[in-house]
Amino acid sequence: MGRYVLNRLLRWIPSVLFILLIVYALVFFGAGDPIKLIFLQAPGDVAYDPVRIEAIREASGLNRPFLVQFSDYVIHILKGDFGNSLVSGRSVNEMIKAAVPVTFSLGLSAIAIIAVIGTILGAIAALNQNRWIDNLIVGFAQFTWGIPVFVAGPLIIVFLVLVLKMDVPFGWGGLFSPKVIVPLIVMGLNPMAIIIRQARAGVLEVLSEDYIRTARSKGLPTKTLVFRHILRPVLTPVVSQTGLLVIGALNNSILIEKVFGLPGLGRLTENAITRSDYPIILAIVLIFSFVVMTSNLLVDISYPLLDPRAASKKKGED
Amino acid sequence: MESEAKKTAVVEEKQYNLFKDAMKRLAANKLAMVGLIVVSLVILIAIIGPMITPYDFLSQDLNYRNKAPSAQHWFGTDDLGRDVFSRVIYGARTAVIVAISVTVLSYLIGIVLGSLAGYLGGKVDAFVVWLIDVFMSIPSLLLVIVVNVSVKPVLVNWMDAKFLETQNQFFRNTTWVDFAIVFGSLAFIKWPKAARIIRGQILSIKNKNYVVAAKALGVPTSKIIRRYIIPNSIGPFIVSISSTLGEAMVLESSFSFLGVGVKPPIPSWGNMISDGLRVWQVYPHILAAPALVLAIVTISFSFLGDGLNDALNPRQWK
């Protein structure tokens, strides 16, 4: 077990570094001159004065080779410093600190809701295979699976406000304010289908196992059967989808925050794109990739806990 | 004796009519057929679009702004008095162009890397698999945003320089830059999926007994590929291409929704939804028209994908 965890960790580090390198290189070689970008926004025409530009470049160390600057950037990040915004000059750390709680609390609760409700719905569907409730759940999953959040969100708002004449509050009032309900529902709808399908297929597979027949013939009540014998093996494939859910939740948060006007990382990203504010974009990419890779790592580590067979299989592989 | 002969005849017929069988199964699946019809319709509309639009998508009628749907303007008009129906049809064109180009590009990359990994194995395989994992754990929206904001200035500058050099009007039109960047950046995030499928197919078929047997019998490689490998891997391949088409369409819309990618005045369903979000309380039709169309198209793709999967992947039958 210890070796397995260590092995995963050792793979995780170069992956994060590699993403950092790609993104940094893209911005470094593509984005254009950061100094010019800064002064094009500033008053005066410093941007067109090559001598002063060179002086500033020299002073800020931006004329050093790529790899030197890159390692400098990595060291700064390891110290927890993402630099300053090109547009406002404010510290990126501050801006991100304000936005992270919105995105992460929304994303985490969406994932929790999806995982719990999705597993339950999937299990109900499988236990009632081919009855109307199964068809309803599977149909619902198939229907919501395709619709992206930036389409479902606006349509739901239009429906609630203009057709049902409901008063839908916008903006952010913390995770426990009623404002959060509609965005959470929209964020949950789309990826829910993945979990419903996984859980349904998983339960169906387990139901055909011999030990379930034994348990049934022993006369175990259905409740015990479901909780003791069915749910645990089904959780493994469901947990394996967590990485996908995390990516989905982060992608969706960018879109959903625009739809509902939430002040999270998504809105920060959108503003940064329109103003080409690279330090912010870089920081957000890093945070997102870090979260995804870490959750993948956690999933890998949790496999053996859920299903001891996985650990020995993985060990055999390495 | 006779019935036995009949049996083998039937079996043989089945073997040789894989595609007829698949088509029959697909035709029996009503939802998949609806999906197929809608998807074909969208592609048809994208091709003949300009012939059937009642108005030019750019022509403005400022006396006729924000009008609700009517007999002259089926989907109403937008804030500049442009016909929303014509814009939705042109949006289909944008969506289809992007979807097809992105799918072709990402499969080209995927086929090269995936088959290299599958055939060569060893360290090459390990590296490609790692690369796929890393790329799949970067949230795709953000990666595209980074590629977009970093590569675009370089290309635009190059186009400007080219224009000054050649005075060729072609280089003034940055629409092509937008499209090229959308193609490139979407292929950049979609290739890992393609590569993974190709690699998986090659690995699973390469060691199948019938391929080994054919090799041992001295069947030439080209015939092995034609007779055994392609027919046996084409099913999952078609399924994954259809899902990539749908995903690329949704991604294109999400980027133009966020303001990267295809830019106004070129209509894309995404930027139309984003425009509609500003005025939905007063003129909901501007938002609802593109959102409903995109919702219908994405659902159709998911129905079609499911149907194809059931029809073409006999190994999954129970």
Side-chain angles (χ1 to χ4, degrees), chain A residues 141-149 190 193, chain B residues 250 294-295 297-300 302:
Chain A
Q142 203 168 25
F143 197 74
T144 56
W145 165 235
I147 307 183
V149 284
N190 174 310
Chain B
V250 170
L294 184 54
V297 173
T298 47
I299 292 175
S300 306
S302 101

Side-chain angles (χ1 to χ4, degrees), chain A residues 213-225:
Chain A
R213 198 161 6 123
T214 313
R216 272 214 172 122
S217 58
K218 246 181 6 183
L220 275 188
T222 316
K223 213 167 137 195
T224 326
L225 191 73

Side-chain angles (χ1 to χ4, degrees), chain A residues 195 234-243 298-300 302-303 306:
Chain A
I195 299 300
V234 170
L235 279 182
T236 319
V238 170
V239 166
S240 73
Q241 300 294 320
T242 313
L298 290 179
V299 169
D300 275 356
S302 69
Y303 268 144
L306 281 168

Side-chain angles (χ1 to χ4, degrees), chain B residues 43-81:
Chain B
I43 294 174
L44 182 75
I45 284 177
I47 296 169
I48 62 165
M51 281 180 244
I52 54 169
T53 52
Y55 301 87
D56 184 58
F57 70 93
L58 279 176
S59 79
Q60 305 177 359
D61 184 353
L62 294 178
N63 297 320
Y64 214 79
R65 292 163 47 185
N66 296 323
K67 286 285 179 287
S70 63
Q72 289 117 358
H73 298 278
W74 290 1
F75 291 174
T77 59
D78 68 2
D79 58 334
L80 293 172

